[in-house]
Amino acid sequence: MRTAIATFAQRGYYGTSTMDVAKAADISQGYLYRLFKDKETLFATLVHYCSDRLREDLALAAAAVRTSDPQEILRSLSGSYDEVIADRQVLMILMHAQCSAGEPVIGEAVRQCYAKQVEHLRALSGASDEQIGRFFADALLKNVMAAIDATDIDAPWTRTLRAAGTSAS
């Protein structure tokens, strides 16, 4: 899984072949196909893996919160989310997954990822639909800023986007 994540994170679903993954994992392509039906199934499995990691990290952060205020819980979970996407490979799998959602199996994996994240966040925080929607809007903006390596750029446009991304935090 780690090798497949690292390989797909570099060039995405469309730019990575199963031969690339097999070679990086030092296994035969035939063995890879014994493990996964096809490239789409492999990539969808990576989406599920990254989704599980997000939920696990959010649950750990929520367990450390000493308040029942949904906004404070979301603020804490936002920090946890920042730590997860600091892993560029996980971030890029999530970004590539959205771009590859036109592939049926990947699209379903992405929809399941969002559905599970929303309900998990709701259960952890007790937040309203509006608060959860804001959390996701901020998270998606953070994804873009991190993916384009703009988080450390000090320019008017990046300050504007960072300010927008912290409005609910």
Side-chain angles (χ1 to χ4, degrees):
M1 292 300 288
R2 286 189 306 269
T3 301
I5 288 172
T7 307
F8 277 110
Q10 290 177 7
R11 294 193 318 265
Y13 175 75
Y14 295 110
T16 304
S17 69
T18 54
M19 183 57 81
D20 294 333
V21 175
K23 184 184 261 188
D26 199 27
I27 61 174
S28 71
Q29 190 176 27
Y31 184 67
L32 183 66
Y33 280 116
R34 286 178 51 203
L35 298 172
F36 300 96
K37 175 182 162 189
D38 52 28
K39 182 174 128 175
E40 193 175 356
T41 302
L42 168 58
F43 194 83
T45 301
L46 301 180
V47 173
H48 292 301
Y49 177 86
C50 291
S51 178
D52 290 347
R53 176 160 172 210
L54 282 170
R55 283 194 312 282
E56 289 166 8
D57 284 15
L58 291 175
L60 288 173
V65 175
R66 300 292 173 233
T67 180
S68 60
D69 177 35
Q71 194 60 40
E72 288 301 314
I73 295 169
L74 290 177
R75 188 170 287 117
S76 177
L77 297 182
S78 179
S80 172
Y81 183 79
D82 292 348
E83 291 175 20
V84 172
I85 66 167
D87 180 338
R88 186 156 182 88
Q89 292 178 347
V90 170
L91 168 67
M92 295 312 295
I93 292 298
L94 296 171
M95 296 295 288
H96 289 306
Q98 292 177 66
C99 295
S100 307
E103 303 298 329
V105 174
I106 297 170
E108 182 58 27
V110 171
R111 288 186 293 278
Q112 287 176 11
C113 173
Y114 275 100
K116 288 177 181 178
Q117 300 304 334
V118 166
E119 294 312 316
H120 189 62
L121 196 60
R122 185 185 322 279
L124 292 173
S125 69
S128 68
D129 286 350
E130 182 180 333
Q131 289 170 312
I132 292 169
R134 182 79 242 162
F135 180 92
F136 274 88
D138 290 347
L140 293 173
L141 179 57
K142 288 177 183 183
N143 287 359
V144 170
M145 294 292 286
I148 65 173
D149 291 322
T151 54
D152 295 327
I153 295 172
D154 186 23
W157 70 273
T158 59
R159 287 191 298 273
T160 298
L161 293 178
R162 277 194 296 277
T166 59
S167 63
S169 301

